[in-house]
Each structure stands twice: as C-alpha cells, then as structure tokens.
Amino acid sequence: MSSAEMAAVCRRQFLARRIFDATLGIAAAILALGGLEARAAAQSLTETERRNKAAVEAGFEAWAAGTGSPYDLLADDARWTIEGYSLASKTYPSREAFLREVIRPFNARMKAPLKPAIRNVYVDGDTVIVFFDARGIARDGEPYANTYAWFLDMRDGRIVRASAFFDSIAFNAFWTRVTPVD
C-alpha cells in the first residue's frame, strides 16, 4: 500500500472514530435524560428547582420571541463547554468569551435568527437540562437545523456552568460554509 493510500485509510479511520465518539456522546445524553425523566415523574420539585426551571424556560421563550435569550442568564464568570468535536468545541472561561467567540459569530452567519423549540426540560437540584431543536436560515439562504442538549448548572438564578451537546457535523458544515457579516 502506498503512503498516499495509507494516509487516506488513516483519515477515514480518524473520521469514523470521531463520528462514533460523537454518536456515543449523544446516546449518553439521551440515556441521562431518560433517567431524569423517570426521577421527575416519581417526585415533586423543590422551590429552587422550580425557580431554576422557570428561569431557563423564560429565557427560551424570550429567545423564541426574539426578545432575549437564555444567554441573558449567564453569570459573568460562567464556564460554557461545547462538548465533542465541532470547530467550536472547547471550554469558554467567561460569558464574554463565549458570546464573542461563538454566539456573535454564529448570529452574524444567520439571515433569519435561530428559533428554539423545546422538546423537554429536566431539573435535578441546581442542574437544568434542556433538550431542544433549533432552526433558522443562514446568510446563504440555506436552512440551519440542529438538536441540542444543554446541561446548565445554576446558582442564584444564573447559569454558572454549561455543557452543550449537538450535531457537530451539521454545525461544522454551517460554520465553514457561511461567512459572518461584520
């Protein structure tokens, strides 16, 4: 086998492993959500859980209406981690870093804003998990659609830590295809 053929095989194996790892992460998130759903059905929420859930749901309602977003709940020192292998995957050490490096460039690639549709919201203590779909139209006229699971750790009504899961293949295609407007 030539070195070019060997390199091609290695690239295919690397890509297959990344896809497998991403799929495994999504499957784990779905299983975790299912376990929390069973727990939620078995017991009532505490006052803190009710407040946290209501704050996050209100942030999503404002996002869908175009009057705000869940990002308004981020504490200044919130750490937001995009899990997996997307081009944006890493931990952002602050609200401003996350907004500057991900959210503003994302929105600058959109012609029609992203609109969320919640599938379910789960709460366990100070953690709120939102499982949702989001759709919008990119600047190139093509639709962007993705499914997300956000694990949000709350303190005093603010998001202090987040872990976000989504389809990195769809995100990467959008991120590289569409140039942001300044």
Side-chain angles (χ1 to χ4, degrees), residues 2-12:
S2 73
S3 62
E5 291 170 325
M6 182 60 95
V9 168
C10 288
R11 279 193 303 274
R12 283 194 301 275

Side-chain angles (χ1 to χ4, degrees), residues 96-157:
E96 180 54 34
F98 175 63
L99 295 176
R100 181 183 60 248
E101 295 178 47
V102 179
I103 300 306
R104 290 182 196 123
F106 186 98
N107 291 339
R109 287 172 165 85
M110 298 299 290
K111 178 191 243 179
L114 203 59
K115 298 285 183 186
I118 292 176
R119 290 192 192 189
N120 216 329
V121 178
Y122 307 88
V123 63
D124 185 15
D126 289 328
T127 301
V128 178
I129 302 170
V130 187
F131 182 40
F132 68 101
D133 299 308
R135 299 182 185 290
I137 303 297
R139 287 191 50 242
D140 64 1
E142 294 294 318
Y144 173 79
N146 213 324
T147 298
Y148 299 83
W150 286 356
F151 292 70
L152 308 172
D153 293 340
M154 308 287 290
R155 187 177 53 236
D156 300 324

Side-chain angles (χ1 to χ4, degrees), residues 6 24 39 42 62 73 93 122 136 143 148-149 159 167 169 181:
M6 182 60 95
L24 190 60
R39 178 198 171 272
L73 296 173
Y122 307 88
Y148 299 83
I159 299 167
D167 180 347
I169 294 171
V181 172

Side-chain angles (χ1 to χ4, degrees), residues 7-144:
V9 168
C10 288
R11 279 193 303 274
R12 283 194 301 275
Q13 287 175 336
F14 176 74
L15 184 57
R17 179 63 188 183
R18 288 184 73 181
I19 291 169
F20 174 79
D21 288 347
T23 303
L24 190 60
I26 291 169
I30 290 169
L31 287 173
L33 292 174
L36 284 175
E37 186 172 88
R39 178 198 171 272
Q43 66 186 44
S44 61
L45 300 178
T46 67
E47 183 58 34
T48 298
E49 289 172 329
R50 277 192 290 281
R51 276 195 314 270
N52 287 339
K53 184 178 182 198
V56 171
E57 287 175 330
F60 271 80
E61 288 168 11
W63 187 11
T67 59
S69 80
Y71 307 122
D72 297 338
L73 296 173
L74 286 170
D76 288 340
D77 62 347
R79 294 176 55 85
W80 191 286
T81 300
I82 297 177
E83 306 289 349
Y85 298 100
S86 80
L87 296 172
S89 290
K90 72 176 195 176
T91 297
Y92 299 87
S94 67
R95 175 184 192 274
E96 180 54 34
F98 175 63
L99 295 176
R100 181 183 60 248
E101 295 178 47
V102 179
I103 300 306
R104 290 182 196 123
F106 186 98
N107 291 339
R109 287 172 165 85
M110 298 299 290
K111 178 191 243 179
L114 203 59
K115 298 285 183 186
I118 292 176
R119 290 192 192 189
N120 216 329
V121 178
Y122 307 88
V123 63
D124 185 15
D126 289 328
T127 301
V128 178
I129 302 170
V130 187
F131 182 40
F132 68 101
D133 299 308
R135 299 182 185 290
I137 303 297
R139 287 191 50 242
D140 64 1
E142 294 294 318
Y144 173 79

